[in-house]
Amino acid sequence: LFEQEYKVGDYIEVGGFSGKVTEIGVRTTCITDAGGNEKIINNSAMKNILNKSSYRSVAVVDIELSKSVNPGTVMSKDLGDIRCLGVEEIKGDKLVYRFIKECDEKDIYNVRREMNLELLEKLEGLN
């Protein structure tokens, strides 16, 4: 607390729980996840904190396409500010492509949903 590793409003991960710091008290810190679940942690147990508000986060979407689609076609497609990292996995007759987009941690779930719609539109007809 005294080192100000996090403050109210920051998105952090501690002990496998991720969420927004909603309250910092003398003895406890409250963190609320995207589902509205609240975790109250003793400040003495606040160790190995990952402050996700300190840097830009990355929304990740994986899309399966047929192996018959040329990977060069997918990777050279103009997707705006969405980047195709390439083939993430091979699943039988499908290739799994990984796409990313930088965003604030607080927006990561909305950005993923938007990416799904945008990729559906831009990759339509390739499969």
Side-chain angles (χ1 to χ4, degrees):
L1 286 176
F2 298 114
E3 294 172 6
Q4 297 185 338
E5 291 181 34
Y6 60 92
K7 61 188 180 305
V8 172
D10 282 353
Y11 286 81
I12 67 171
E13 181 176 320
V14 61
F17 190 84
S18 292
K20 181 179 181 179
V21 177
T22 52
E23 186 180 329
I24 301 173
V26 175
R27 292 185 293 180
T28 61
T29 295
C30 295
I31 304 168
T32 305
D33 70 9
N37 302 303
E38 185 176 75
K39 183 157 184 133
I40 301 168
I41 303 173
N42 286 328
N43 290 334
S44 61
M46 295 293 284
K47 295 176 174 52
N48 300 321
I49 300 163
L50 174 61
N51 189 334
K52 296 180 177 184
S53 296
S54 298
Y55 54 89
R56 298 278 286 166
S57 294
V58 177
V60 178
V61 171
D62 290 338
I63 304 280
E64 289 183 15
L65 295 173
S66 169
K67 274 187 183 176
S68 65
V69 176
N70 183 335
T73 302
V74 177
M75 295 180 65
S76 65
K77 200 93 161 126
D78 180 13
L79 302 172
D81 53 359
I82 298 174
R83 270 188 33 216
C84 179
L85 297 182
V87 176
E88 182 69 17
E89 186 179 351
I90 300 170
K91 284 179 137 181
D93 62 343
K94 303 274 187 190
L95 298 178
V96 180
Y97 291 86
R98 175 151 292 177
F99 299 88
I100 62 168
K101 182 176 180 177
E102 283 192 16
C103 63
D104 291 331
E105 182 66 25
K106 66 181 176 60
D107 300 325
I108 204 160
Y109 297 109
N110 287 334
V111 170
R112 262 193 239 165
R113 286 188 284 275
E114 291 168 4
M115 285 174 65
N116 279 324
L117 291 175
E118 193 172 338
L119 288 168
L120 179 66
E121 179 184 301
K122 291 187 175 186
L123 299 176
E124 190 170 5
L126 290 182
N127 229 358

